[in-house]
Amino acid sequence: MLNVVLFEPEIPGNTGNIMRTCVATHTRLHLIEPLGFSMDEKAIKRSGVNYIEHCDYTIYKNIDDFFEKNSGTYYFLTRYGHQPHTSFDYSNPEENIYFIFGKESTGIPREILKPYLSHCMRMPMTDKVRALNLSNTVAIMVYEALRQQDYLDLLFDEPHKSKTFIEEA
C-alpha cells in the first residue's frame, strides 16, 4: 500500500492537490499537525475539486503519533538527501510504503531525518531551484512507485467516454 505523509503542511492548495492525486492513485494520505490551514478552507476544496470526499486520510497530533500508529518502510524526500528518488525499489505492492514530505517552508527537521539517512532521497535538479513544488513532488514519487508496481489496478482508458472517443470526432 502506498502512503503519502505530509509533515506540518502549510499551503492548503498543495494539500488539496495532493488529496486529488491520492484519490486518483488509491494512495492513503497522512497529515501531521499542526496544519497551516483548516481542512474546510476554500483553497483545499478548490484544489481538490470534488474528489477530496473520496480521499482516505488521517490527521495525527504529531510525528510521534504517526510513527506509533503506522509501520512499514519510510522514505524521506529532502533536499539534503544524496540518493535520487529512482534508486529505491518500491515494486512490492504488499509492502506498506510511506513517502514522507516536509513542510513547504523548512522541510523535515534534522532530528527526524537522522535515524533514516539511508532512506533520505532528493530529486535531482539544477542549482537554480531549492526544491520543487510539494504537490508536484508527491505526484512524481507516487507515480514512480506505481510504475514499478505496473500501475496495479489503475485504468489505462478514460472511463467516462468511449475508448474510441478521439476517432469518433
Side-chain angles (χ1 to χ4, degrees), residues 32-69:
I32 312 296
E33 290 183 319
L35 308 180
F37 49 84
S38 161
M39 286 301 288
D40 61 356
E41 269 189 49
K42 193 180 198 179
I44 290 248
K45 293 177 178 160
R46 185 178 23 217
S47 301
V49 192
N50 56 346
Y51 304 109
I52 60 174
E53 66 189 48
H54 302 289
C55 187
D56 177 9
Y57 72 93
T58 305
I59 300 175
Y60 302 87
K61 61 184 175 183
N62 56 45
I63 192 75
D64 293 329
D65 184 30
F66 165 78
F67 284 135
E68 287 169 17
K69 294 176 179 169

Side-chain angles (χ1 to χ4, degrees), residues 16-152:
N17 197 36
I18 291 164
M19 292 175 94
R20 184 176 181 167
T21 298
C22 287
V23 171
T25 58
H26 299 297
T27 301
R28 271 192 254 149
L29 179 61
H30 306 266
L31 302 169
I32 312 296
E33 290 183 319
L35 308 180
F37 49 84
S38 161
M39 286 301 288
D40 61 356
E41 269 189 49
K42 193 180 198 179
I44 290 248
K45 293 177 178 160
R46 185 178 23 217
S47 301
V49 192
N50 56 346
Y51 304 109
I52 60 174
E53 66 189 48
H54 302 289
C55 187
D56 177 9
Y57 72 93
T58 305
I59 300 175
Y60 302 87
K61 61 184 175 183
N62 56 45
I63 192 75
D64 293 329
D65 184 30
F66 165 78
F67 284 135
E68 287 169 17
K69 294 176 179 169
N70 297 282
S71 62
T73 306
Y74 304 124
Y75 295 98
F76 297 82
L77 279 288
T78 172
R79 64 186 175 154
Y80 305 112
H82 300 294
Q83 300 175 80
H85 65 290
T86 54
S87 65
F88 295 91
D89 180 3
Y90 319 112
S91 62
N92 181 358
E94 303 300 316
E95 181 181 8
N96 272 327
I97 295 172
Y98 295 87
F99 296 123
I100 303 174
F101 301 83
K103 62 170 122 180
E104 291 92 337
S105 63
T106 58
I108 303 169
R110 265 195 280 195
E111 60 271 11
I112 294 172
L113 296 173
K114 204 167 186 181
Y116 300 98
L117 287 177
S118 65
H119 280 190
C120 288
M121 65 184 87
R122 170 186 171 79
M123 289 191 177
M125 63 190 78
T126 70
D127 63 353
K128 312 263 184 296
V129 175
R130 186 171 54 96
L132 294 176
N133 172 274
L134 177 62
S135 62
N136 292 341
T137 306
V138 168
I140 291 167
M141 279 312 311
V142 168
Y143 273 92
E144 171 60 20
L146 289 169
R147 183 192 66 78
Q148 290 186 22
Q149 296 177 7
D150 200 27
Y151 301 100
L152 297 172

